[in-house]
Structures are given as structure tokens and as C-alpha cells.
Amino acid sequence: MFANCSPRQRRADKFLHNLDHLTERVGRHVPPIADIHYLRELPEGTFGRAWADHIDRHQLTPFPEGPRRKQLHDGIHVLTGYDIDAVGEAEVQAFLLGTEFKIANVLLLLGLLYFAPKDSQIRERLWRAYQRGRHSYFNADIWQPERLWFVSLEKVRRVYRV
């Protein structure tokens, strides 16, 4: 898990590993939600297919276990269109912070900013992501993307005002 990475990346990986361990100990793990093989078979343009395409395009490994929010993380990238680099990940956390204040999102956002390039536009991008979350109808705690697999991605974005 930690081989061939920078000291910063090792610290980040260790932090996420410890977070997984903690959520498992407090009983937050749920059964698998998104079956990537099933999502790949959905029609082009659907939210579920867009999720699978996102996973494949970025050569990601889906989160097949763990807390619900972790398993749904890639779907939030699909919904918002934010990238998977440090800034994109920070934008996801700022968006989620805009939807509802959670200390976990603040901590993740601050941690991601440590890895993000020092760029004058980051503050503006994060503010836009936060405002986007504030004005959306999205709630990560009750979101059920599995009921939306067959809906077009554009319609899902309109429904949640994302």
C-alpha cells in the first residue's frame, strides 16, 4: 500500500487506512452499493454508465466496501464533474461542506490543501464549489444513487441543482 510513494502520499494513505479502520470499528460499513460490472452495461448517457466510465477513464478501483459515503465518493465526482487530483478532491469536500457542515469534510479539505499545488485560483475554486453545494438540493447522507442508475446524468444534475 505504501511502496513507491512520497512521504506525503504515505502519510495520506496511512490516514485514510486509519479512517477506514475506525469506521469499521464503529459499525459504519455497509454492503456493496455499486456493482461496476452492472454499471458498465447500462446505456450511454445514464448516470450509472457515467459512473462506470469515470472509474474506467481514470483507471480507478471502486470502493466495494466500507462506509456508504466512501462507496459513493466517485459518484459525487460524476455528479459534480470535479477532477480526481488534489484540487478536485478539495472541491468535492468544499461542495459537501456547502451542502452540510461536517467536521470530517473540514479535516479532509484541510488535508487535501496540503497536497494541492499552491495556486492563486484555488481559493476561488473552493469558494465556488462551496457555494454550489449551498445552492444544491444534494444531501450525501440520504442520497440513493442506486435508484438513479437509469436516469440521464443531466437529469440527475438538474434534480439536485448541481
Side-chain angles (χ1 to χ4, degrees):
M1 168 167 63
F2 303 121
N4 298 326
C5 25
S6 71
R8 278 185 175 183
Q9 186 62 49
R10 280 194 294 278
R11 284 192 299 272
D13 288 347
K14 185 172 179 157
F15 170 77
L16 293 173
H17 175 75
N18 289 338
L19 189 60
D20 279 350
H21 183 68
L22 176 65
T23 59
E24 184 175 6
R25 290 193 63 175
V26 297
R28 300 287 299 195
H29 282 216
V30 298
I33 298 166
D35 177 352
I36 191 68
H37 304 294
Y38 173 74
L39 298 180
R40 285 182 181 128
E41 300 300 319
L42 294 174
E44 289 280 335
T46 61
F47 177 59
R49 177 64 178 272
W51 191 319
D53 291 346
H54 167 81
I55 296 288
D56 293 342
R57 181 175 49 258
H58 295 291
Q59 300 175 346
L60 300 173
T61 301
F63 297 120
E65 59 184 29
R68 183 170 181 79
R69 283 184 86 151
K70 176 184 173 186
Q71 290 187 48
L72 301 181
H73 178 80
D74 290 315
I76 296 171
H77 279 280
V78 173
L79 190 63
T80 61
Y82 295 130
D83 206 347
I84 63 166
D85 62 359
V87 176
E89 294 292 349
E91 286 174 308
V92 166
Q93 296 309 315
F95 171 81
L96 291 171
L97 203 53
T99 64
E100 180 181 10
F101 181 85
K102 292 211 179 233
I103 194 68
N105 296 113
V106 173
L107 295 173
L108 286 169
L109 177 59
L110 292 173
L112 288 163
L113 288 176
Y114 179 75
F115 294 99
K118 306 309 175 222
D119 182 343
S120 62
Q121 296 181 0
I122 290 177
R123 180 183 287 186
E124 184 179 324
R125 287 176 64 178
L126 295 178
W127 180 250
R128 279 196 312 265
Y130 174 79
Q131 289 299 318
R132 190 177 181 197
R134 296 258 315 142
H135 294 100
S136 75
Y137 294 138
F138 185 76
N139 182 331
D141 292 328
I142 61 170
W143 184 44
Q144 295 182 323
E146 58 272 34
R147 293 185 174 193
L148 304 168
W149 297 143
F150 283 99
V151 179
S152 78
L153 173 58
E154 292 310 312
K155 185 171 183 178
V156 173
R157 286 178 172 160
R158 280 194 311 272
V159 165
Y160 290 109
R161 287 184 59 188
V162 173

